[in-house]
Amino acid sequence: MATLIHSLSDHSDDVNYCAFSSSCLATCSLDKTVRVYSLSDFAELPYSPLRGHTYAVHCCCFSPSGRVLASCSTDGTTALWDTRDGRRLAVLGQPRASPVRVCRFCPRGSRLLAGAADGTLVLWDVQSLQLYRSGNVKDGSLVACAFSPNGNFFVTGSSSGDLTIWDDKMRCLYNEKAHDLGVTCCDISSNPVSVLSDIENGFKYFQMASCGQDNQIKLWLILFADFLGVELKYKCTLNGHSAPVLACAFSYDGQMLVSGSVDKCVIIYETSTGNTLRTLSQHTRYVTTCAFAPHSHLLATGSMDKTVHIWQLDLKQPSAGNIVETESKVAVEDWSEDDVSAWLCAQDLADFVGLFKMNNIDGKELLNLTKEGLANELKIESLGLRSKILQKIEELRMTMISVSVPVPDEFLCPITRELMKDPVIAADGYSYEREAMEHWISNKRRSSPMTNLPLHSLMLTPNRTLKMAITRWLETQQKC
């Protein structure tokens, strides 16, 4: 249940953004002000509203400690405020005085990112209040940004539809055309997810959400690794809104995603399955912003109707958020239909959730599926899709074995620490999973993952002896 527990109506114009700290809620508006409220009783703090911007305030955010509040404006500046007494600590001018659309503190608290309408982005040093690095998106206005949990990377979204990944030295690492009509917002969950797929090689990924003028919310899996660089993998699209989606945000535990739209609705999704948990329709104009409080299921939504609604969520925990966690606690054969649905979504097979539920496929039924059953009973006509599902089921069986019985260390890939399926010998004499080593080499690494010494050759030789040994071991475990 989502209960509306309070409404704030102090702004005299559109509410553009809202943000939480552990003890406060900040809101900003076209009326040029920032307002700050106590979470204990939602009373406005004595020093609020904060005045100083000469034009509309587009975004606001708290530092990790909650002691500093940043706000940015059409006036081309980003202001820093002391949350204890409301003092304005600094005014940071954007290069070329372009309207600043978005600002975000690095999780480490040492940097502040500000992005502008002319595509410029600036990293400010919070201690010295000096410009640390600057850059520019290749096209369009910069309208969205989010930091990785460790603060070493960040993602920006532009009005041209691009998502761009940067490191903290402002080097562009990756670019993806995500929303044809423009990105409006993006967010990164602070909790990693483990992806059971040979494509991801067992690395820790984070979920990212982006939304845009195309009415869509897209979920992504994003890898931030200093030694591997970054990767962005499309997961699925959520199509619950009937108009452009203006805002999205993850809950503190990453198990829920909230979005707000021009259709005046707020939708809360379960991230593991993509299912809609709640739709809230109390706003009377476009929903421009939404935010979860840290460490609680308190939700704030703001709108062009000049109000901010505060909601208390009392929702059942998702049945299977993290697929690895589910397997460690519940045997696959004991999975419910909802657990199977969560597994399908994690394997990029979300399109089959409805079909599997209609046929009451639980964990036991899943493990017993055959190519004949997929074709004749579930009526999946595509041979490629049937093969993909069967491959994922076989991987799941292998995972069950590796979870229940310790895998001999020599059968594990040194890179992924997963059971190898196609082992190859590299020039350093060690055996690796082929795809993991090819990925290593494709990122222009010419050193051994084990010794860090240069590889004199990039040739990979199949290790048929090791593959046979792994196969025999698997057969033995399946008989047990």
Side-chain angles (χ1 to χ4, degrees), residues 24 49 356 368 377 437 474:
C24 296
F356 275 53
N368 289 328
E377 297 173 22
M437 193 60 189
L474 284 171

Side-chain angles (χ1 to χ4, degrees), residues 348-369:
D348 290 337
L349 296 170
D351 291 343
F352 294 99
V353 168
L355 178 64
F356 275 53
K357 279 201 168 188
M358 185 172 65
N359 286 273
N360 305 117
I361 304 296
D362 57 14
K364 185 175 294 185
E365 292 289 335
L366 178 70
L367 294 175
N368 289 328
L369 281 176

Side-chain angles (χ1 to χ4, degrees), residues 302-327:
S303 167
M304 291 175 65
D305 63 12
K306 307 176 189 178
T307 68
V308 176
H309 290 331
I310 313 296
W311 309 83
Q312 180 67 53
L313 304 183
D314 182 18
L315 301 170
K316 292 181 179 180
Q317 292 297 314
S319 58
N322 182 314
I323 191 68
V324 170
E325 181 179 325
T326 300
E327 288 174 16

Side-chain angles (χ1 to χ4, degrees), residues 42-113:
F42 301 108
E44 191 165 8
L45 297 185
Y47 60 73
S48 180
L50 302 175
R51 304 182 188 274
H53 288 295
T54 55
Y55 291 102
V57 186
H58 292 287
C59 187
C60 58
C61 61
F62 287 97
S63 65
S65 68
R67 294 179 181 174
V68 179
L69 174 67
S71 60
C72 60
S73 166
T74 301
D75 62 18
T77 68
T78 302
L80 300 181
W81 312 85
D82 190 320
T83 57
R84 292 168 292 187
D85 54 19
R87 286 184 303 116
R88 190 165 63 176
L89 302 173
V91 177
L92 308 173
Q94 195 77 4
R96 301 196 293 273
S98 179
V100 188
R101 300 296 186 192
V102 64
C103 57
R104 196 76 75 241
F105 278 100
C106 170
R108 296 194 298 263
S110 56
R111 305 276 187 263
L112 174 69
L113 179 67

Side-chain angles (χ1 to χ4, degrees), residues 147-319:
F147 272 95
S148 66
N150 65 7
N152 292 339
F153 305 92
F154 60 91
V155 177
T156 59
S158 74
S159 61
S160 66
D162 288 344
L163 290 173
T164 306
I165 306 176
W166 313 75
D167 67 9
D168 57 2
K169 302 296 188 298
M170 201 67 82
R171 292 176 294 203
C172 178
L173 304 178
Y174 187 89
N175 191 79
E176 173 91 16
K177 177 66 76 173
H179 296 271
D180 290 338
L181 303 178
V183 175
T184 53
C185 188
C186 63
D187 193 28
I188 298 173
S189 173
S190 59
N191 289 344
V193 294
S194 294
V195 182
L196 299 180
S197 167
D198 59 343
I199 297 176
E200 284 75 29
N201 295 316
F203 294 119
K204 289 292 186 182
Y205 280 67
F206 291 85
Q207 292 190 97
M208 183 175 76
S210 64
C211 56
Q213 299 285 351
D214 55 7
N215 305 359
Q216 295 182 339
I217 303 165
K218 292 186 178 180
L219 292 182
W220 310 80
L221 294 173
I222 186 167
L223 169 69
F224 300 108
D226 293 322
F227 66 98
L228 283 176
V230 298
E231 285 186 6
L232 185 65
K233 176 178 170 56
Y234 169 78
K235 182 180 177 183
C236 63
T237 297
L238 306 177
N239 293 302
H241 287 290
S242 60
V245 186
L246 303 181
C248 62
F250 284 102
S251 61
Y252 73 94
D253 54 10
Q255 297 197 20
M256 289 183 289
L257 178 74
V258 64
S259 60
S261 167
V262 169
D263 64 13
K264 308 175 190 176
C265 290
V266 174
I267 299 179
I268 304 169
Y269 300 91
E270 182 182 52
T271 54
S272 61
T273 64
N275 292 338
T276 298
L277 297 175
R278 296 287 184 274
T279 298
L280 311 175
S281 340
Q282 276 73 7
H283 284 295
T284 58
R285 295 195 66 199
Y286 300 173
V287 179
T288 54
T289 179
C290 48
F292 280 103
H295 312 302
S296 74
H297 285 162
L298 202 63
L299 171 67
T301 60
S303 167
M304 291 175 65
D305 63 12
K306 307 176 189 178
T307 68
V308 176
H309 290 331
I310 313 296
W311 309 83
Q312 180 67 53
L313 304 183
D314 182 18
L315 301 170
K316 292 181 179 180
Q317 292 297 314
S319 58

